[in-house]
Amino acid sequence: MVSTFTSNGRAIFLVLFSMILITIYVTTFSGNRVNYTDKLRDIVPSLKSLTLTTERSNNERVNYTDKLWDNVPSLKSLTLMNERSINETIKILNWKKNTVQIMRKQFKVFWKSISSIILINATEEAKKDASALKDGFNVLDIRYKEIGNFFDHKIATESDDYFNGTSTEFYILSNLLSDLKYYWLHISSVIKKLGLPSNIQEFVNNGYIKSKKELKNLIGESETIARKYMDNLQMYVQQRIAELQNPNNCISASVYVCNMVNQAGFGSELHTILKCFLPAFKQQRTLIHHMKEWKYDPEGWSHLFAPLSDCDETHYTGQSNSQIVNGNSIYPTGYDFISIPSEISQYILQNHADPFAWWIAQFIGYAMRMRPEFVNQLNGTAQKIKFTNPIAGMHIRRGDKLIREAKKHEVEEYMFFIENWFK
């Protein structure tokens, strides 16, 4: 379907498409500013250091958290091992261990087939490719072995402390799934470079899809537990952002005034917001961002999205406790942009396959809270075009990016990944 969009329509369509992509990393969160931190601190003790200076009364806190945690179980109760008999638990763990051992054997057979196919083309380039793939195979083989040892330890002790308590079942299995995906991509690139027949690629695809399904089946309930854990942590982080962005007194608040204007693409503009948002949050400052000059909507960012803060440029009067950014962001000493807070890093690392993506998604999600009238317009558009699940969002790289930054890939190459995603 091809249609002509108005400027307002372009913004709506852009946001609709962007929302699809962002949902890969971001789960839906409530924008309500509520206090539930005390109960969460019982679960995650080190979060006590993140306490806000502005506190609500004890009565407000207790009344709210009692209602909330009637429906959201404590993270301590999210271990399903206690809900089963010992014999049942051991049986399930043995099944997981045996499945991993079988997958390891199948992976070795798969590797022998692939290496022999590649080495038929006995060029120096093919030998280098085979050597690189062999290195990847060795790493994954060790990973399979470690996971088998992990389940042996868990069977013997009924605990996850095989890796000194730093890795959960979900963490090690989801990381193996990620490693397998990148290994599959590596093999696929070699097949394409060497010009091998399409049936070889199909053989590789089928092997990867089979392994992916087996691993997803193994991850199963551990993913459910991890998701509940991250949902609770996400609510905490969203409240922290909302309270910091909406202080009781905008005049006296420590602010981070960002005058960085970006007239590039939509994704690039989000990066600019992040370059201000993350260091502002790190320094516990309220971000005031210059958002009026937006090429997608002449009325500015806040015409479509909710304002980043109750405070704006009119509240800033040059107070001494402020930082002003006109070009590059001002980062605190020792701050690394690609980082997550140490106070919660352990919990993110153990329960999310891409921790940094999750962390920055909290700020992207907050920045892209839509105004109610546009939410209604989006919902109406979705119904009109029968926009129903399952939906796969895909960014096809075109435009000026192909001049210096990227190579052109045909749509068929993109669709290859979409087809595998649905499988």
Side-chain angles (χ1 to χ4, degrees):
M1 179 192 302
V2 179
S3 60
T4 303
F5 291 99
T6 63
S7 61
N8 204 26
R10 288 194 193 96
I12 292 294
F13 179 79
L14 174 68
V15 171
L16 184 63
F17 181 71
S18 300
M19 288 298 197
I20 302 170
L21 298 180
I22 289 172
T23 52
I24 296 173
Y25 298 116
V26 189
T27 56
T28 304
F29 62 86
S30 170
N32 295 332
R33 296 176 57 194
V34 295
N35 192 299
Y36 51 81
T37 53
D38 279 357
K39 285 288 184 180
L40 187 57
R41 291 189 194 114
D42 292 341
I43 301 158
V44 190
S46 63
L47 292 183
K48 292 176 181 177
S49 62
L50 295 178
T51 306
L52 289 173
T53 54
T54 303
E55 295 284 352
R56 291 184 172 85
S57 71
N58 288 332
N59 287 337
E60 285 179 315
R61 214 175 289 126
V62 171
N63 289 342
Y64 178 74
T65 54
D66 283 350
K67 293 178 182 178
L68 175 68
W69 293 96
D70 283 343
N71 299 318
V72 183
S74 164
L75 298 186
K76 291 178 180 177
S77 68
L78 294 183
T79 169
L80 298 183
M81 183 174 289
N82 294 332
E83 298 176 7
R84 297 192 178 103
S85 67
I86 296 298
N87 289 337
E88 188 180 5
T89 297
I90 298 301
K91 182 179 178 180
I92 291 173
L93 290 174
N94 272 311
W95 165 73
K96 291 181 178 181
K97 183 190 75 170
N98 292 335
T99 301
V100 170
Q101 290 174 341
I102 292 171
M103 289 181 68
R104 186 185 181 195
K105 290 178 182 178
Q106 292 172 339
F107 184 60
K108 288 181 178 180
V109 173
F110 173 80
W111 160 248
K112 288 179 181 179
S113 299
I114 290 298
S115 60
S116 62
I117 291 170
I118 292 174
L119 290 175
I120 289 175
N121 186 348
T123 64
E124 287 301 314
E125 190 69 21
K127 290 178 181 178
K128 289 179 182 179
D129 290 328
S131 177
L133 289 173
K134 174 66 173 177
D135 291 340
F137 164 79
N138 289 334
V139 170
L140 284 167
D141 186 54
I142 292 172
R143 181 66 61 84
Y144 274 116
K145 181 180 178 181
E146 287 180 339
I147 293 175
N149 293 340
F150 171 86
F151 282 117
D152 277 335
H153 178 80
K154 195 167 184 178
I155 291 168
T157 64
E158 297 184 24
S159 71
D160 280 349
D161 64 355
Y162 178 72
F163 295 99
N164 298 317
T166 59
S167 299
T168 62
E169 183 178 315
F170 170 76
Y171 176 86
I172 62 171
L173 291 175
S174 60
N175 273 276
L176 175 60
L177 182 62
S178 178
D179 288 343
L180 281 173
K181 181 186 75 172
Y182 288 115
Y183 193 62
W184 164 62
L185 292 173
H186 187 181
I187 295 175
S188 298
S189 68
V190 170
I191 291 173
K192 182 178 180 181
K193 183 171 71 173
L194 297 178
L196 297 178
S198 59
N199 64 320
I200 303 301
Q201 181 66 67
E202 186 177 353
F203 169 73
V204 170
N205 292 346
N206 291 337
Y208 168 67
I209 291 169
K210 182 176 183 295
S211 296
K212 182 176 73 169
K213 287 181 178 178
E214 290 172 340
L215 265 178
K216 291 291 286 184
N217 192 31
L218 279 179
I219 291 172
E221 68 182 24
S222 67
E223 182 176 20
T224 301
I225 294 170
R227 187 177 295 278
K228 289 180 179 178
Y229 209 135
M230 295 309 297
D231 285 347
N232 290 334
L233 192 56
Q234 178 170 290
M235 287 191 295
Y236 176 83
V237 171
Q238 288 301 317
Q239 178 177 330
R240 287 301 315 280
I241 295 173
E243 291 186 338
L244 187 61
Q245 284 300 107
N246 301 284
N248 292 331
N249 189 325
C250 291
I251 299 297
S252 61
S254 295
V255 297
Y256 192 96
V257 183
C258 190
N259 294 319
M260 296 169 65
V261 178
N262 187 333
Q263 290 295 323
F266 186 70
S268 183
E269 290 196 67
L270 279 174
H271 288 159
T272 298
I273 293 174
L274 284 174
K275 286 179 180 178
C276 293
F277 216 156
L278 290 172
F281 186 82
K282 169 68 176 177
Q283 298 173 81
Q284 292 295 279
R285 294 177 178 275
T286 300
L287 173 63
I288 297 178
H289 200 292
H290 180 79
M291 306 290 285
K292 292 181 178 178
E293 297 176 27
W294 192 37
K295 70 177 184 180
Y296 294 103
D297 191 322
E299 296 187 51
W301 179 276
S302 294
H303 181 227
L304 184 61
F305 299 106
L308 289 179
S309 174
D310 290 342
C311 309
D312 57 30
E313 291 93 333
T314 62
H315 295 103
Y316 173 66
T317 56
Q319 51 264 51
S320 59
N321 60 343
S322 302
Q323 284 189 352
I324 303 177
V325 180
N326 293 310
N328 294 323
S329 296
I330 301 173
Y331 297 139
T333 303
Y335 173 71
D336 186 354
F337 182 77
I338 306 178
S339 62
I340 53 180
S342 59
E343 297 93 337
I344 57 176
S345 61
Q346 178 183 352
Y347 311 102
I348 303 176
L349 290 169
Q350 288 181 353
N351 295 286
H352 200 280
D354 199 337
F356 182 65
W358 181 89
W359 177 243
I360 64 171
Q362 302 311 304
F363 295 87
I364 291 176
Y366 186 86
M368 293 186 67
R369 295 163 299 126
M370 297 194 71
R371 289 186 176 276
E373 58 269 29
F374 285 104
V375 171
N376 294 335
Q377 191 171 343
L378 269 178
N379 290 337
T381 302
Q383 291 177 3
K384 185 177 180 180
I385 64 175
K386 298 181 180 179
F387 191 78
T388 56
N389 287 326
I391 298 292
M394 182 169 61
H395 177 204
I396 297 179
R397 176 69 81 189
R398 290 291 184 265
D400 61 343
K401 290 291 182 182
L402 300 182
I403 298 174
R404 290 185 300 272
E405 298 180 37
K407 294 181 179 179
K408 181 179 179 180
H409 293 271
E410 299 302 328
V411 174
E412 289 76 13
E413 295 181 69
Y414 288 89
M415 291 308 299
F416 165 77
F417 294 97
I418 294 295
E419 290 168 0
N420 280 283
W421 183 77
F422 275 103
K423 292 179 182 179

